[in-house]
Amino acid sequence: MDLLTDPPAVPPSNASRLPGRHAVVIGAGFGGLAGAIRLGARGYRVTVLEKLNAPGGRASVFRQDGFTFDAGPTILTAPFLLEELWTLCGKTMSDDLTLKPMEPFYRIRFNDGTTFDASGDPVRMRAEVQRLAPADVEGYEAFMRIGKEICSLGFEQLGDSPFNSIMDMVKVAPDMLRLGSLRSTYGMVARFIKDERLRIAFSFHPLFIGGNPFTASAIYAMIPYLERRWGVHFAMGGTGQAVAGLAKLIAGQGNTIRCGVEVEQILVSNGRATGVRLKGGEVIDADIVVSNADSAFTYRKLLPPETRKRWTDRKLDRARYSMSLFVWYFGTDRQYPDVPHHTIALGPRYKGLLTDVFTRKVLAKDFSLYLHRPTATDPSLAPAGCDTFYALSPVPNLGGKTDWTTEAERYRQTIEAELSKTLLPDLGKHVVTSKLMTPLDFRDGLLSLQGAAFGLEPVLLQSAWFRPHNKSEDIAGLYLVGAGTHPGAGVPGVLSSAKVLDRVVPHAATL
């Protein structure tokens, strides 16, 4: 099934034929799909509205010349968050989705050619640290111990807890301060580890959620422990199989996904969301509205200014937005068996490159890459004897001055040349299919302000209570899920944002 051309079968719209409270969900990304399932389990009739022609959002899938590409996330951690959704529907996830544990999780390749394999095995990880920097073994162990504490508080206790009141922030502040949340992620790692390569290896993770390791709160230093505890997994058939499974659950609840329709405005009457108007004029009434669209886009573009008190145009203009991404999807007519499923290929600079991306917002000549080779695990994603890849580079959002209409192909060629010299010999001779994604696609296709790939940047004063709330501060009956609300980006964060709905949305029977 091609998710771009053959969306999962869903029943026709039932909003007008079934009794009960109606919820409209804007966007069929992981947050919107998970939110729809949770609302369905709470008694709502649900209509999910998706601008693209298939569910998935940033996790969409495309097929080209016999190759299958996951457009977005490729790593699934904390799989229990997915399993919960099947359980809510009385189903078993393994009947629809096979998750294969990755071992190692990924290989980090430093610019000098040195490698570090990140693993869920404590013994193997200790040996990897010992191999690169024997003096850092004890520091690494201490770092993982504090990572466990941060994960217990920041993810397990607070990840699905709404921060509706500043008092919610005040209550957890002492523990967060004790665990060093005022430090940056890099600063936290540097407390324990001296070798610069290992500092990079254990601090880059905020980039997975749109953050700069030198400015993102040390709360994100929990990610290496989170990976160790729950593992890193790949969905056989690609991440799109998880999307298809969630869409199937929604259909099984008797609810609806409508693709190829774009919401023009969230309708508000007397301070309450009452439905949406689509481009083309169709109005869909609702008792509640849940937006999985970019949170800044939701407030700036889908709601009239007079309905907003906190998230005004001025506030959104002054907010800090995450970096964007340049992604080159390509298939080769040969295989590269020495390249693992996930590779982090680091360039010659770390802090300097991140400063260019996040602060100066200039497209640097050097870069670091995330190279994804899913055919290392699932050969069905490419024709026989071939490999499927994507190469992802963090780049400035559209607050910079890069003209991607002229720069995209030049940048791709630079990446191709570097990969040919390092990981993929003679790459140019073997590419048989190719597609690009630039910040323009995040702005125009995924409707993200400034083309930011992860919405608002995850800095301390844009996290938890300071982030757009899951229960809108401005509009009654409006709720937010996805990367732009609490707890933030990344598949675990987005699925947790949908779980927050269980705490802030009234049961349909009580509305």
Side-chain angles (χ1 to χ4, degrees), residues 6 18 29 46 95 147 152 198 202 247-248 251 365 370 373 383:
D6 300 311
L18 291 178
V46 185
D95 291 340
S152 176
L198 293 180
F202 290 108
K248 181 180 176 182
K365 293 181 179 180
Y370 163 51
R373 180 182 170 245

Side-chain angles (χ1 to χ4, degrees), residues 109-114 197 344-349 367 418 422:
R109 182 188 185 277
F110 301 98
N111 193 59
D112 63 2
T114 306
R197 293 167 301 176
I344 311 294
L346 294 166
R349 299 185 301 151
F367 45 78
E418 179 63 21
T422 54

